Amino acid sequence: MKTVLITGCSSGYGLETARYFLAQGWNVIATMRTPREGLFPPSDRLRVLALDVTRPESIAAAIEAAGPIDVLVNNAGIGALGAFEATPMSKVRALFETNTFGVMAMTQAVLPMFRRQRSGVVVNVTSSVTLAPMPLVAAYTASKTAIQGFTGSLAHELRDFGLAVKLVEPGYGPSTNFTQNSGEAIDAMIPEAYAPFANSIFAAFATQGPVTTAADVAEIVWLAANDPSERLRYPAGPDAVALAAA
């Protein structure tokens, strides 16, 4: 029976992914900044741990409490929607602390264990914004694109140790809390001069065709974690699959 540690499990993709792995018979370590046991069905194969990926001491404590794992899913992330001109640099840094440096720190924390085991998979959840430029998410895109390059390079470093690193690229998921955890009001990040452009973008989102669900992402994370091939990228959701094909 294998064990997966998943970050950012309080909602959205992380929550659904943890439930999916649990349903497949895995041991699941679901982490979040503020643990909430009631999110999951009772199971002796589930542990819910506190973890803030921006704090080294929190990472160390979670890794120690988790014990041996087979797969790390770096899912924790925050979003930001608005004109870059109006995006405070404090928000840009916060995006990178969670979406970029948090992923790197978690990966670095588990690699000694994986290397000793001569087995292990890291699955990094990014976004379809890395597949095609999208407006009003410039800083967010930068934080996720950095992980694309990081993951591709790291895969080469780790192959000789029998370790794998994968990228899951979800599409547009309107059911997620993309901006709710950003700490910034959308209106504050869209100045009046940008309003006509922003409104046209929001209208396009509202009429978009098939979008990505949390279930789509959970299934693809599962596929990536269990795929023994050297495949690197896994688009998740019909819109992401279409972008990847294009």
Side-chain angles (χ1 to χ4, degrees), residues 172 174 203-212 238-239:
Y172 171 52
F205 280 145
T207 59
Q208 184 171 331
V211 295
T212 298
D239 52 331

Side-chain angles (χ1 to χ4, degrees), residues 92-148:
V92 176
R93 292 187 177 94
L95 285 165
F96 273 81
E97 284 294 340
T98 298
N99 299 351
T100 309
F101 303 137
V103 170
M104 291 179 171
M106 283 298 300
T107 302
Q108 196 171 64
V110 304
L111 285 184
M113 178 198 312
F114 283 179
R115 186 167 44 77
R116 288 192 298 269
Q117 296 172 176
R118 301 290 297 189
S119 67
V121 181
V122 177
V123 180
N124 293 331
V125 180
T126 59
S127 170
S128 62
V129 299
T130 64
L131 300 173
M134 297 183 187
L136 301 179
V137 286
Y140 172 79
T141 299
S143 71
K144 291 293 190 177
T145 302
I147 292 303
Q148 298 281 114

Side-chain angles (χ1 to χ4, degrees), residues 147-167:
I147 292 303
Q148 298 281 114
F150 164 72
T151 304
S153 180
L154 188 63
H156 291 296
E157 290 183 30
L158 301 181
R159 192 167 292 129
D160 284 349
F161 297 105
L163 311 182
V165 194
K166 309 285 189 172
L167 282 165

Side-chain angles (χ1 to χ4, degrees), residues 196-213:
F197 173 74
N199 289 336
S200 69
I201 297 302
F202 297 153
F205 280 145
T207 59
Q208 184 171 331
V211 295
T212 298
T213 68

Side-chain angles (χ1 to χ4, degrees), residues 64-79:
E64 182 177 2
I69 65 172
D70 301 284
V71 175
L72 167 66
V73 178
N74 281 312
N75 165 79
I78 60 175

